[in-house]
């Protein structure tokens, strides 16, 4: 069966990574969470005083630091999913917190950051057999990807999912704060000057507001089969 590139884009907290990880595991493809890469850069910036308390970013300091930021992924034997490592340190949990979430869209909007991350991402996918999710995978990173999907859901639904996820990890969470963050990130991601968030012209649109995780995973797997086999999969209830 031929190998393809699967590009999954969409809004924050809409389940992109869950879908992508499940598909990659099921079809034995490499999975790359590009959002985690930008989150890791954000975490580095926070730790090293590149982001001030008022949110201002030292662009010169960040640009000089990029060569010292090394992001890798390692498979977690217990979860069966890849964890994010920043300069050899596992940061998978820390990059998912609200502090990083509050600044990541601003970091990701910086042109030289996106240029560096896109270069790394394209190198990862040169041999295909890859599932990658993010904000500009189908429009910028892999415009020739065989399967492009744009995932969305109502902001309130996404905030509720994020709220429950944080509570499940034993972290403090405020629904209204999370909803505000989701809405602010939507605006920044969609209005940034470089590679704004938008569906590729040939992307399949999935609103998963009313779908369960198994339903959305089945939908994506069927779309994958259609691409690699040239046939049509069964329809999934929406």
């Amino acid at each position: 069966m031929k190998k393809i590139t699967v590009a999954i884009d969409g809004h924050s907290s809409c389940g992109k990574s869950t879908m992508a990880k499940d598909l990659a595991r099921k079809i034995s493809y490499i999975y790359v969470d590009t959002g985690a890469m930008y989150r890791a850069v954000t975490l580095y910036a926070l730790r090293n005083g590149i982001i001030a308390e008022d949110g201002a970013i030292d662009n010169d300091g960040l640009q000089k630091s990029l060569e010292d930021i090394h992001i890798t992924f390692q498979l977690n034997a217990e979860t069966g999913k890849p964890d994010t490592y920043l300069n050899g340190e596992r940061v998978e949990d820390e990059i998912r917190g609200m502090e990083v979430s509050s600044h990541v869209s601003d970091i990701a909007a910086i042109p030289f950051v996106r240029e560096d991350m896109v270069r790394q991402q394209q190198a990862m996918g040169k041999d295909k057999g890859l599932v990658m999710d993010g904000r500009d995978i189908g429009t910028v990173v892999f415009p020739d990807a065989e399967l492009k999907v744009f995932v969305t859901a109502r902001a309130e639904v996404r905030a509720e999912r994020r709220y429950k996820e944080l509570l499940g990890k034993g972290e403090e969470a405020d629904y209204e704060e999370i909803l505000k963050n989701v809405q602010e990130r939507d605006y920044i991601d969609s209005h940034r000057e470089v590679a704004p968030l938008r569906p590729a012209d040939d992307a399949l649109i999935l609103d998963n507001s009313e779908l369960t995780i198994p339903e959305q995973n089945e939908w994506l797997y069927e779309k994958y089969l259609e691409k690699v086999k040239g046939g049509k999969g069964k329809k999934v209830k929406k």
Side-chain angles (χ1 to χ4, degrees):
M1 193 177 296
K2 67 175 182 179
K3 287 188 175 182
I4 66 172
T5 298
V6 181
I8 303 178
D9 292 310
H11 293 102
S12 65
S13 302
C14 64
K16 301 185 304 297
S17 296
T18 298
M19 294 176 64
K21 289 175 184 177
D22 180 83
L23 180 65
R25 184 168 56 249
K26 191 168 187 173
I27 64 179
S28 298
Y29 272 26
I30 296 170
Y31 164 71
V32 177
D33 177 358
T34 62
M37 297 175 71
Y38 289 104
R39 284 176 174 272
V41 174
T42 303
L43 178 60
Y44 180 95
L46 286 166
R47 285 178 169 181
N48 290 273
I50 294 172
I51 300 177
E53 290 187 7
D54 63 359
I57 300 170
D58 176 4
N59 282 354
D60 289 340
L62 180 57
Q63 189 163 21
K64 291 176 182 177
S65 297
L66 277 182
E67 63 182 23
D68 298 321
I69 300 175
H70 304 287
I71 303 164
T72 55
F73 297 92
Q74 295 182 30
L75 189 66
N76 186 313
E78 293 184 4
T79 66
K81 299 176 181 179
D83 287 341
T84 308
Y85 283 74
L86 172 61
N87 295 336
E89 175 194 356
R90 182 184 179 279
V91 293
E92 183 64 30
D93 297 326
E94 196 169 354
I95 63 172
R96 308 296 175 181
M98 282 303 298
E99 184 178 21
V100 170
S101 295
S102 297
H103 297 285
V104 64
S105 288
D106 291 325
I107 290 290
I110 298 173
F112 64 78
V113 174
R114 297 206 73 82
E115 180 180 348
D116 189 70
M117 294 297 105
V118 167
R119 175 185 57 78
Q120 293 186 43
Q121 292 155 13
Q122 289 175 331
M124 293 175 185
K126 59 183 176 61
D127 296 323
K128 295 188 179 292
L130 180 89
V131 181
M132 186 175 287
D133 75 81
R135 299 289 196 279
D136 59 356
I137 311 307
T139 54
V140 176
V141 183
F142 295 118
D144 297 324
E146 292 85 349
L147 176 57
K148 302 176 187 178
V149 176
F150 189 91
V151 189
T152 188
R154 295 190 302 277
E156 293 77 10
V157 172
R158 290 182 281 136
E160 179 70 17
R161 291 172 180 170
R162 183 70 175 142
Y163 174 71
K164 291 180 178 178
E165 178 186 4
L166 290 173
L167 289 182
K169 293 179 178 179
E171 300 180 25
E172 293 186 3
D174 181 283
Y175 171 79
E176 294 300 332
E177 179 186 358
I178 294 171
L179 177 59
K180 180 181 178 182
N181 175 254
V182 165
Q183 293 169 332
E184 288 177 345
R185 290 183 64 189
D186 285 353
Y187 183 85
I188 294 172
D189 290 343
S190 300
H191 290 80
R192 66 184 176 224
E193 183 177 348
V194 179
L197 173 64
R198 65 174 180 82
D201 293 338
D202 54 346
L204 302 174
I205 310 298
L206 174 66
D207 184 330
N208 66 8
S209 297
E210 307 300 331
L211 292 181
T212 64
I213 290 177
E215 285 175 336
Q216 70 177 18
N217 289 347
E218 184 182 358
W219 180 91
L220 181 59
Y221 181 60
E222 290 297 328
K223 298 305 178 185
Y224 159 77
L225 290 179
E226 290 179 22
K227 289 295 181 181
V228 296
K229 292 185 176 180
K232 289 192 174 182
K234 60 186 178 182
K235 293 182 178 180
V236 178
K237 180 182 177 182
K238 291 188 179 181

